[in-house]
Amino acid sequence: MLDPASLSDDQRWQIALAKDRRYDGAFVTGVHSTGIYCRPSCPARAPHRKNVRFYANGDAAEAAGLRACKRCSPNTQSAEEACVLAAIAAIREQGSQSLDQLSELTGYSPTHFQRLFKRTVGLSPAAFARALREERVKDALADGASVTDALYQAGYSAPSRFYNDTKDKLGMQASDWRDGGAGRQVHWRVIATSLGDMLVAASDKGVCCLSFNEGEEHLRARFPKADIVEANDDFAALFDQVVAAVEEPLSDASAIPLDVKGTAFQQRCWQALRKIPAGETRSYGEQAAMLGNPKASRAVGSANGANNIAVLIPCHRVIPASGGVGGYAYGPEIKAELLRREGAGEKELF
């Protein structure tokens, strides 16, 4: 969650589009075409941006001639909302807090507050704290820190704690951000499908690439330091599973192991993509809100574009809020066909 005191109007607009409940009480959205002001999470239809102004609170909005929305009651804040915001501030400033500590801070029982926090934020307090630490690792690496220094800067007491936190996340290893696949062997094959020629590649840990109308040269560009070899029969069963998942995208592909190279933010974006059910779509703003960072819709789009594993990490399920299927690395026709096969094509995508 961003610091509410330092939000820009563009950030407030993205928060309002995502209807992020965590910012209720941090500001209000004034809609001058209707003469009302709302909470950021107001369920009403989004207004046109040109009609919107942002105010610090209800008093400021009313001084500008607006009245409170009867649907979301923006001039009141529940005790529950205030407690969740206080807990988020404590976690951001002091790191992970035990449920007993948060219980003492908020006055709720540990069990009740755990449920309240997860309902509001979408993560447990512990998971929220871990996500913050992983983001800080990513930021430190982006600034040029070594892996070990980045882990300590982010608040991990030892590298092993980071590996324990992330060991089940799409095969992620901290060194994968920096080594280009050095020391890894990647097995590949081009397979004919109803969507065109499909490049599939896998390491000993799982599928690391799935793309359309690409060949070995693209694989070498993505993994410049890996040992790239043609797949033998040992990978036949795995590749058959991949083909089945592409030809029948409503089938459960969760059992197919993945080995994905990416930053902490990219990993979180790809995890969010895998939580979108087949047959449903999300906008980029909605995906950003799933990550707890509504302003990050552009960054989400970039992370989705860096996804090396089409279909299994379903970035095709994210479409523009304005309508249409939007961009896709392998062409809008393939994206539209995947959505059609999943049932989303029955909606008005064009």
Side-chain angles (χ1 to χ4, degrees), residues 10 28 39-40 54 94 129 135 155 169 270 275 297:
D10 285 342
V28 296
R39 294 171 178 263
F54 298 101
Q94 303 168 32
E135 278 297 288
K169 295 191 175 181
W270 300 335
K275 294 178 181 179
S297 56

Side-chain angles (χ1 to χ4, degrees), residues 42-89:
C42 183
R45 186 174 181 178
H48 292 295
R49 177 65 182 90
K50 65 181 181 180
N51 297 325
V52 173
R53 302 288 185 276
F54 298 101
Y55 299 94
N57 50 47
D59 289 343
E62 291 178 10
L66 303 177
R67 66 186 185 279
C69 173
K70 294 182 179 180
R71 188 170 182 179
C72 67
S73 301
N75 50 1
T76 63
Q77 182 184 65
S78 70
E80 290 184 343
E81 291 170 342
C83 287
V84 169
L85 290 174
I88 287 173

Side-chain angles (χ1 to χ4, degrees), residues 78-232:
S78 70
E80 290 184 343
E81 291 170 342
C83 287
V84 169
L85 290 174
I88 287 173
I91 293 170
R92 290 182 67 90
E93 294 172 9
Q94 303 168 32
S96 183
Q97 305 282 297
S98 70
L99 283 176
D100 286 340
Q101 289 174 305
L102 294 175
S103 175
E104 183 176 350
L105 173 68
T106 63
Y108 289 99
S109 71
T111 301
H112 179 76
F113 185 74
Q114 169 99 333
R115 289 196 299 267
L116 170 62
F117 191 96
K118 190 167 185 179
R119 184 176 71 239
T120 304
V121 178
L123 297 170
S124 69
F128 182 79
R130 287 196 298 271
L132 284 178
R133 286 201 301 269
E134 290 166 26
E135 278 297 288
R136 288 166 181 164
V137 170
K138 183 267 295 183
D139 291 341
L141 286 170
D143 289 339
S146 70
V147 170
T148 300
D149 287 344
L151 299 184
Y152 286 119
Q153 288 176 28
Y156 285 95
S157 59
S160 60
R161 295 297 300 275
F162 173 80
Y163 290 106
N164 286 337
D165 280 355
T166 60
K167 64 182 179 181
D168 295 324
K169 295 191 175 181
L170 302 176
M172 179 178 65
Q173 297 292 326
S175 58
D176 284 345
W177 285 314
R178 305 177 73 87
D179 65 10
R184 308 288 292 278
Q185 191 170 68
V186 175
H187 305 259
W188 68 278
R189 185 178 297 169
V190 173
I191 303 170
T193 74
S194 61
L195 294 175
D197 288 344
M198 179 177 71
L199 172 67
V200 186
S203 70
D204 58 350
K205 294 182 179 180
V207 176
C208 59
C209 183
L210 192 164
S211 63
F212 296 95
N213 301 314
E214 292 184 345
E216 181 183 1
E217 67 280 6
H218 296 282
L219 196 63
R220 292 188 180 279
R222 286 172 171 168
F223 305 100
K225 297 182 181 179
D227 180 19
I228 309 294
V229 298
E230 289 193 47
N232 56 31

Side-chain angles (χ1 to χ4, degrees), residues 203-281:
S203 70
D204 58 350
K205 294 182 179 180
V207 176
C208 59
C209 183
L210 192 164
S211 63
F212 296 95
N213 301 314
E214 292 184 345
E216 181 183 1
E217 67 280 6
H218 296 282
L219 196 63
R220 292 188 180 279
R222 286 172 171 168
F223 305 100
K225 297 182 181 179
D227 180 19
I228 309 294
V229 298
E230 289 193 47
N232 56 31
D233 290 341
D234 292 342
F235 288 83
L238 175 61
F239 286 5
D240 285 346
Q241 286 182 282
V242 173
V243 172
V246 171
E247 298 291 6
E248 300 178 15
L250 286 174
S251 61
D252 183 11
S254 61
I256 299 176
L258 305 183
D259 185 12
V260 183
K261 168 179 172 286
T263 67
F265 182 74
Q266 288 170 341
Q267 292 278 346
R268 291 180 60 212
C269 287
W270 300 335
Q271 288 281 8
L273 288 171
R274 300 188 84 196
K275 294 178 181 179
I276 303 173
E280 296 185 14
T281 60

